[in-house]
Amino acid sequence: TYTTGATYSARVVNSVKMVRDDSGQEKVSKTQIWINTVSAISTRDRITLSSQFTPSQPSIISAALYPDESGSHHTVLYC
C-alpha cells in the first residue's frame, strides 16, 4: 500500500542511459525524471505522471539526489 501522494514540478527527459538498480544490475533507463525536491524517493515508491506520458506510472529503476556547491537540490529518477 502507498500513503497519500505529494505533487512536485518535474522535467521528464526521454533519453536512453545505462544505470544500476538497487541490486547492482545494469538496466536501461529510457526516461529520466528530474524532480524539484530533495525528499526521499526510492525504487519502492510509485510515481504518476500527467496523462500525456505513457506509461503514466513508470517503474523506478534508480533514484539519486543531485547536489551543487550549496547542497542537494534535485532528485532524478531513472525509469
Side-chain angles (χ1 to χ4, degrees):
T1 44
Y2 295 98
T3 61
T4 304
T7 301
Y8 301 105
S9 59
R11 180 173 63 121
V12 179
V13 178
N14 292 314
S15 175
V16 176
K17 297 189 180 293
M18 292 298 292
V19 297
R20 294 196 182 271
D21 65 11
D22 289 344
S23 65
Q25 299 280 338
E26 280 191 337
K27 301 283 182 171
V28 176
S29 165
K30 295 181 182 176
T31 304
Q32 297 80 50
I33 303 167
W34 293 81
I35 302 174
N36 188 19
T37 186
V38 292
S39 296
I41 300 174
S42 77
T43 56
R44 295 181 306 259
D45 292 318
R46 180 174 65 185
I47 58 170
T48 302
L49 302 174
S50 65
S51 61
Q52 72 189 47
F53 296 101
T54 303
S56 63
Q57 290 185 329
S59 298
I60 302 170
I61 299 169
S62 181
L65 289 175
Y66 269 80
D68 63 11
E69 61 277 353
S70 300
S72 295
H73 59 86
H74 280 84
T75 298
V76 64
L77 305 178
Y78 295 94
C79 301

